[in-house]
Amino acid sequence: MSVSSLLLRSSIAGLACLSLLVTKVTGATYELQDTYAGPSFFDAFNFFTGHDPTNGFVSYVDEATALSSGLLIIPSSDLSPAVFGVDYTNTLSTYTSRGRASVRISSKQSYTHALIISDIAHMPGGICGTWPAHWTLGPNWPTNGEIDIIEGVNNAAVNLMSLHTSPGCTDAGANEVGTLQTSNCDTSVNFNSGCGVTADTTASYGSGFNGGSGGVYATEWTSSYIKIWFFPTGSVPADIAAGIPDPTGWGLPQANFAGTCDIDSHFKDHNIIFDTTFCGDYGNAEWNNNAACQAIAGAGSTCNSYVANNPSAFANAFWSVNSIKVYQQSGNSSFSSTTTAPPTSSSTPLSSILAPGMGDSTASLPTSGNFTRPGATSTTSSAPYQAATASSAAPTTTNPSSIGAFIYIGCLGSTSGFSSFIQVENNPLMTLDLCTTQCSNSQFMGVFNTICFCADTIDSGTSIAAADGLQCKNPCPGNLNELCGGSRSTSRLAVRQASNGILLTVYENTNFALVSVPPASATFGYGMGGGAAVSAITSIVLATSYVDVCDVCLGGYQSIMYTTTIAQCGCVANEHAGLLSYGAMSSAPHVPMTAVETVCSSCGSNGAAATVTVTLPAAVVAIASVSSILATATVTGAVAGNIVEEAAGVAAFANSTVCGGCAAATGVAGVAGVTVTTTGGLALFTGGGAGAGSFSGSMLGLVVGGAAAMLML
């Protein structure tokens, strides 16, 4: 029976939803239009099997293959979740394989305006190498828009929500509890990062989400705005549970996409999508700046090679969806009842490839081993999942996905004796909480039995132990419900520096930024409707946290977030290697950093003054240098009060990139029409035109109005 014919049926109150139904909710602002749940869940979706538009190391399979391979579970009842995931049993070749097997589904039904209630018990996020998403997409990407409800890459700790559109749509970033990262939704700028907002809680994504038994995402799409709320399990509003959702009573959303954007001209006819890809445009870019994932993978490993050679790392990379419910406002004539045919081509982009419930969140979920689908009459021995039963239930002793600012990395082993970890305490009542307290000023903490270790880096000889078939199985002495490391052998060594023979339970401190090591940059999102654009020069939004001295801060230091848009040579997706080739660039996009010496009034022993070395963004150093010069300069012309703007304009040239003989100019607005001279008579800026600049070593070259000027930094 087709979905369109099912939509003609009227539902009976109290009848279990066995198929896609249309239900009227009397007296509510919103009417229940469609329910995706129960044994017919997958009947309402198309399975995509083409090449991943985002260039992931993935092989999407059809429904029959997914079922026979154990990559999905058809719900046995209306209260059972729909479960679908990835292969985690086969080791692959990055040269002969298209990628790890996975499932990507898009709804046959499309919508214009909707309130989408996504009740999800488990997601694949927080695992190095993964890029899962729950999203919606219109035809002819990006003309009709993309709404990313859930998205993250690698070991991300919080959810990223974003929009990707054609030109002319920006987000104001107001009236939301999340943090605005990028404001321009246009896919043709900022390397297709769109306008993105990160959630304010680790319960929103990955291990934090799964550790809290999931939750509900509510996405309200109207002509005026697109809002996304997140409610952890146990905190879901009563009106949602009752089937009469009223967003006016939910408080501020995580993301409120409203600004200079005509919603109706940028978003139309969206299908609902779930997928899990690996690496790809976003994942590879973030991997190159992710110290934790690189440490887990081992020296020299790329994202693709890690995914190919470590199948067991993806045992928990699955979606478990209780239900998706789609509501429409009463009298909404813009509801689209189009049924999308299954995709037949792998060309990019595809209008039918779409992206990112109130059920029993305690239903049995896959754990490990071979999987037996609930209600099935036969099984295959090669299926990667196994349903939780009395004999195969997960152990009751588990570690929390997050402890305060610390997120769980995994059980790590070492061939180098954990050379970067230093013992800080040996306590007969050791717990994970106790060790995180001891390591609050470090980036990593590790526990073995009674011993707590701290580290600021993870050396190349240390990696996730699960790849070797090893586990951290020792209960914590102070909390038997947690696991504090394990052993490679029967030896239980306790030395000042961690031994080769032990395994550490390791967490990473998300609030910590290193002083002596250049911090990694963060790339904010990629549109999933299409791959990275190919152009001579491309802009990309990067952010990095760094530590600088602070005379009024406790300990003498402060952590600062720096965000910038930089120019990069055009990138081309390399399908064979699964990586991005950045033209003439030798590395992935990053924020240029500079180590400088400075005097700190309280960074020395016992709070005394000391000369310290800090690693800062090069543009910040340039601003400080130029500001210092301008502060003593004789300024002529209408530039009073604009010293900081001029300095920022000069500093921006540090990010300029020469690509194929053409100079990418940025930040020139700060110098237009300005004449500045110093007491020594050196001309810093002259003229009124935009010029092209490039940065090399300690010299800044600037061409303005045809006249060349150089400033030694």
Side-chain angles (χ1 to χ4, degrees):
M1 181 180 293
S2 67
V3 172
S4 58
S5 62
L6 285 172
L7 289 171
L8 299 177
R9 289 189 172 186
S10 298
S11 64
I12 302 175
L15 180 65
C17 295
L18 300 178
S19 57
L20 193 59
L21 301 178
V22 179
T23 307
K24 294 290 184 179
V25 181
T26 305
T29 301
Y30 279 96
E31 298 175 343
L32 179 62
Q33 189 71 52
D34 297 330
T35 297
Y36 298 79
S40 65
F41 179 90
F42 292 108
D43 295 340
F45 289 90
N46 289 322
F47 282 69
F48 171 62
T49 59
H51 172 74
D52 180 13
T54 61
N55 304 303
F57 184 66
V58 66
S59 178
Y60 289 122
V61 300
D62 57 31
E63 183 174 10
T65 302
L67 187 60
S68 64
S69 301
L71 300 186
L72 65 81
I73 310 172
I74 297 176
S76 59
S77 71
D78 300 307
L79 297 180
S80 299
V83 179
F84 47 103
V86 306
D87 164 58
Y88 70 87
T89 62
N90 296 303
T91 299
L92 309 173
S93 167
T94 57
Y95 295 99
T96 61
S97 173
R98 183 174 164 185
R100 189 159 296 284
S102 181
V103 172
R104 175 170 176 157
I105 57 176
S106 61
S107 66
K108 296 176 180 177
Q109 204 69 30
S110 64
Y111 306 91
T112 299
H113 300 167
L115 174 61
I116 303 173
I117 306 295
S118 305
D119 182 5
I120 301 171
H122 187 281
M123 70 170 62
I127 304 171
C128 292
T130 60
W131 179 5
H134 171 36
W135 49 305
T136 71
L137 184 69
N140 303 315
W141 184 90
T143 302
N144 292 302
E146 172 185 332
I147 304 171
D148 299 337
I149 302 171
I150 300 174
E151 182 186 10
V153 291
N154 297 319
N155 60 338
V158 296
N159 185 39
L160 173 64
M161 299 151 284
S162 55
L163 305 182
H164 300 267
T165 69
S166 54
C169 183
T170 61
D171 176 31
N175 301 315
E176 59 191 18
V177 298
T179 301
L180 179 68
Q181 302 293 351
T182 50
S183 60
N184 195 338
C185 310
D186 183 0
T187 61
S188 65
V189 300
N190 297 335
F191 211 70
N192 187 21
S193 62
C195 49
V197 177
T198 50
D200 71 338
T201 171
T202 56
S204 64
Y205 184 81
S207 56
F209 180 91
N210 298 332
S213 299
V216 169
Y217 272 92
T219 304
E220 186 181 24
W221 166 15
T222 71
S223 295
S224 302
Y225 55 77
I226 296 172
K227 298 181 179 180
I228 301 176
W229 287 264
F230 169 65
F231 305 109
T233 295
S235 300
V236 179
D239 55 296
I240 292 182
I244 49 173
D246 180 10
T248 61
W250 297 346
L252 291 178
Q254 286 288 336
N256 177 31
F257 296 107
T260 306
C261 185
D262 182 350
I263 298 294
D264 287 348
S265 68
H266 285 91
F267 298 89
K268 184 174 67 174
D269 295 335
H270 278 214
N271 300 78
I272 300 170
I273 304 173
F274 285 91
D275 74 78
T276 303
T277 188
F278 300 93
C279 305
D281 297 337
Y282 187 8
N284 277 315
E286 204 277 340
W287 179 278
N288 292 327
N289 296 303
N290 190 316
C293 285
Q294 291 187 36
I296 291 172
S301 291
T302 64
C303 183
N304 281 16
S305 64
Y306 176 71
V307 171
N309 294 308
N310 296 274
S312 62
F314 308 105
N316 287 319
F318 64 89
W319 293 95
S320 179
V321 180
N322 294 322
S323 68
I324 304 295
K325 295 185 178 181
V326 181
Y327 293 82
Q328 293 289 334
Q329 288 185 341
S330 301
N332 179 17
S333 60
S334 61
F335 162 64
S336 173
S337 59
T338 303
T339 299
T340 306
T344 57
S345 171
S346 61
S347 61
T348 304
L350 293 175
S351 61
S352 59
I353 305 171
L354 315 169
M358 303 309 300
D360 180 10
S361 63
T362 62
S364 298
L365 302 177
T367 54
S368 61
N370 293 330
F371 170 67
T372 302
R373 177 169 56 85
T377 57
S378 62
T379 62
T380 59
S381 59
S382 60
Y385 293 126
Q386 180 177 359
T389 63
S391 60
S392 63
T396 57
T397 304
T398 58
N399 286 333
S401 57
S402 61
I403 304 172
F406 284 79
I407 59 172
Y408 182 59
I409 296 297
C411 177
L412 271 60
S414 182
T415 59
S416 58
F418 294 99
S419 60
S420 60
F421 283 81
I422 302 299
Q423 179 181 332
V424 295
E425 183 170 351
N426 190 336
N427 191 316
L429 296 178
M430 180 60 65
T431 65
L432 298 178
D433 290 270
L434 179 59
C435 192
T436 58
T437 300
Q438 294 297 320
C439 298
S440 60
N441 291 322
S442 298
Q443 185 153 11
F444 300 96
M445 79 83 166
V447 186
F448 171 70
N449 289 345
T450 62
I451 308 171
C452 173
F453 300 90
C454 300
D456 287 335
T457 61
I458 297 180
D459 66 90
S460 60
T462 300
S463 61
I464 193 164
D468 301 323
L470 302 169
Q471 295 181 344
C472 290
K473 299 185 289 186
N474 297 341
C476 296
N479 185 346
L480 298 181
N481 292 320
E482 298 175 344
L483 298 172
C484 285
S487 300
R488 289 181 178 271
S489 64
T490 57
S491 174
R492 296 166 67 90
L493 301 177
V495 293
R496 178 68 180 170
Q497 196 170 48
S499 163
N500 286 16
I502 68 172
L503 304 174
L504 296 183
T505 297
V506 177
Y507 282 73
E508 181 180 10
N509 187 351
T510 59
N511 287 340
F512 185 74
L514 295 177
V515 177
S516 59
V517 178
S521 304
T523 306
F524 290 119
Y526 279 81
M528 293 173 286
V534 177
S535 61
I537 299 173
T538 308
S539 295
I540 182 170
V541 177
L542 297 177
T544 190
S545 60
Y546 67 94
V547 172
D548 200 357
V549 298
C550 174
D551 290 336
V552 296
C553 300
L554 182 65
Y557 294 103
Q558 62 178 332
S559 180
I560 303 172
M561 177 63 74
Y562 173 79
T563 303
T564 185
T565 300
I566 69 172
Q568 285 287 4
C569 297
C571 67
V572 180
N574 183 337
E575 181 180 350
H576 179 70
L579 301 173
L580 292 179
S581 300
Y582 290 94
M585 301 300 292
S586 60
S587 62
H590 65 284
V591 175
M593 306 297 291
T594 301
V596 296
E597 284 191 350
T598 187
V599 176
C600 175
S601 63
S602 59
C603 295
S605 178
N606 297 320
T611 299
V612 298
T613 299
V614 291
T615 303
L616 310 176
V620 173
V621 176
I623 290 174
S625 299
V626 176
S627 295
S628 177
I629 294 173
L630 294 180
T632 59
T634 299
V635 180
T636 62
V639 296
N642 292 330
I643 289 178
V644 174
E645 293 181 15
E646 308 310 325
V650 174
F653 280 95
N655 288 333
S656 298
T657 301
V658 177
C659 181
C662 60
T666 60
V668 296
V671 299
V674 174
T675 299
V676 181
T677 61
T678 69
T679 54
L682 173 64
L684 299 180
F685 315 116
T686 303
S694 63
F695 183 74
S696 176
S698 61
M699 183 167 293
L700 183 65
L702 177 64
V703 179
V704 178
M710 289 189 177
L711 172 65
M712 295 296 294
L713 297 181

